[in-house]
Amino acid sequence: MKHFRLKSLSTGNIFTLTQSTITIGRGAFNFVRLESDALSSQHASLHIDNGRAVLEDLNSTNGTFINNMPVKQPTELMHGDVISLGNEKLMLIDPDNQDDATVFSLNLGGATTLPASKIAELNTGALSPEETQQVVSGVLKKAFATLASTQDISVFATLSKTGVDEVFKLDTANPPVGNSWAIGRDNTCALAINNPTVSTHHATLRFEDGQWFIKDNGSTNGTKVNGKRVVESECKSGDIISLGKLTCVFGVAHEVMAESV
């Protein structure tokens, strides 16, 4: 049997999955025990069969998410997918895949060679065009370099004062209902972002006829694209999107990778 592994993104601990069915939760009887009050006693299960890993939520109180998408039914995991349970994040590592698989891990240090203060200045438009391009290009190349496949993939990266905070993968080949990704503080959002200046249901990203759009949902602190406040706007690869005081970068894989050639 293939021995998948789960890596805790908060502690770095590795759990090697040696059984065909394992459970995850805060109870002592779980194969993967996580001491967090946000987890149910028996929160979720993983079934390993024929080289596939399938995740199932066990009617947990706070839900189970894969790459910030809620798990409504048994769902097959791919290498690098991140399971969110309460405030815990576990990344699946497929032993047959040798890439780093850290695209969703927190604190993706080294995405930019500029001082940390430069990242904060993105939100105010204080950087020169050259500096802005350097930061954005570094963030996106770092994110896409960790993906095993970039076909039909875009990313939405949130930034902090110290670098990249979190990267969300947007798979247009397997989109949510309506080709729309909700953004907000609510855990049910496809892009669930814990930031006090982001509204509960702040904005929506939509993919339509080969183009991306962002729509503000009447948020308290507004949405900006490249420094301009918008109600709805097209999004292009390399755009800087501000949600309240949170700075984000949007990128489309084939455009970013083409720049690297």
Side-chain angles (χ1 to χ4, degrees):
M1 183 180 74
K2 180 190 290 189
H3 289 166
F4 288 94
R5 291 175 291 160
L6 289 175
K7 178 180 179 179
S8 168
L9 298 185
S10 59
T11 65
N13 290 341
I14 300 289
F15 303 90
T16 301
L17 311 183
T18 58
Q19 300 177 6
S20 58
T21 298
I22 66 106
T23 56
I24 308 169
R26 73 169 192 271
F29 49 83
N30 291 288
F31 186 92
V32 177
R33 184 189 181 193
L34 302 171
E35 296 183 3
S36 170
D37 291 338
L39 268 69
S40 296
S41 179
Q42 194 170 53
H43 197 105
S45 65
L46 260 174
H47 305 281
I48 314 298
D49 185 39
N50 292 326
R52 300 168 63 242
V54 177
L55 179 70
E56 182 176 3
D57 180 78
L58 299 178
N59 296 316
S60 63
T61 301
N62 294 317
T64 302
F65 301 80
I66 301 173
N67 303 333
N68 297 291
M69 295 290 291
V71 176
K72 302 295 187 182
Q73 59 188 13
T75 304
E76 183 176 358
L77 294 171
M78 304 299 290
H79 174 69
D81 281 347
V82 169
I83 306 167
S84 299
L85 315 98
N87 53 8
E88 297 288 339
K89 292 179 183 290
L90 300 170
M91 181 175 66
L92 184 80
I93 300 174
D94 185 334
D96 292 340
N97 195 316
Q98 298 302 312
D99 73 12
D100 190 31
T102 57
V103 69
F104 291 102
S105 68
L106 301 180
N107 303 317
L108 289 175
T112 171
T113 58
L114 294 177
S117 60
K118 296 295 184 182
I119 293 179
E121 293 175 20
L122 277 176
N123 207 25
T124 63
L127 294 182
S128 69
E130 293 77 16
E131 288 177 317
T132 298
Q133 183 179 12
Q134 186 177 355
V135 174
V136 171
S137 178
V139 168
L140 294 177
K141 287 179 182 178
K142 176 76 173 180
F144 284 119
T146 61
L147 284 169
S149 172
T150 57
Q151 185 175 0
D152 301 316
I153 297 297
S154 296
V155 296
F156 191 87
T158 65
L159 309 183
S160 68
K161 291 181 179 180
T162 56
V164 179
D165 188 31
E166 192 164 14
V167 180
F168 298 90
K169 182 170 69 173
L170 311 172
D171 186 355
T172 55
N174 298 285
V177 176
N179 285 347
S180 296
W181 288 256
I183 310 171
R185 289 202 322 273
D186 194 291
N187 284 335
T188 63
C189 290
L191 280 63
I193 299 172
N194 184 19
N195 183 285
T197 68
V198 174
S199 295
T200 305
H201 297 279
H202 194 107
T204 303
L205 272 170
R206 185 177 81 258
F207 185 70
E208 183 177 313
D209 296 329
Q211 294 179 294
W212 283 95
F213 300 88
I214 190 165
K215 180 180 180 180
D216 184 82
N217 294 332
S219 64
T220 301
N221 296 312
T223 300
K224 295 179 181 179
V225 177
N226 299 323
K228 295 182 180 180
R229 189 157 182 166
V230 300
V231 174
E232 185 168 10
S233 173
E234 182 181 355
C235 287
K236 296 183 179 180
S237 187
D239 278 351
I240 299 167
I241 299 173
S242 303
L243 308 171
K245 294 183 179 180
L246 179 68
T247 304
C248 311
V249 174
F250 174 78
V252 179
H254 67 85
E255 296 184 30
V256 173
M257 303 313 289
E259 293 176 2
S260 302
V261 177

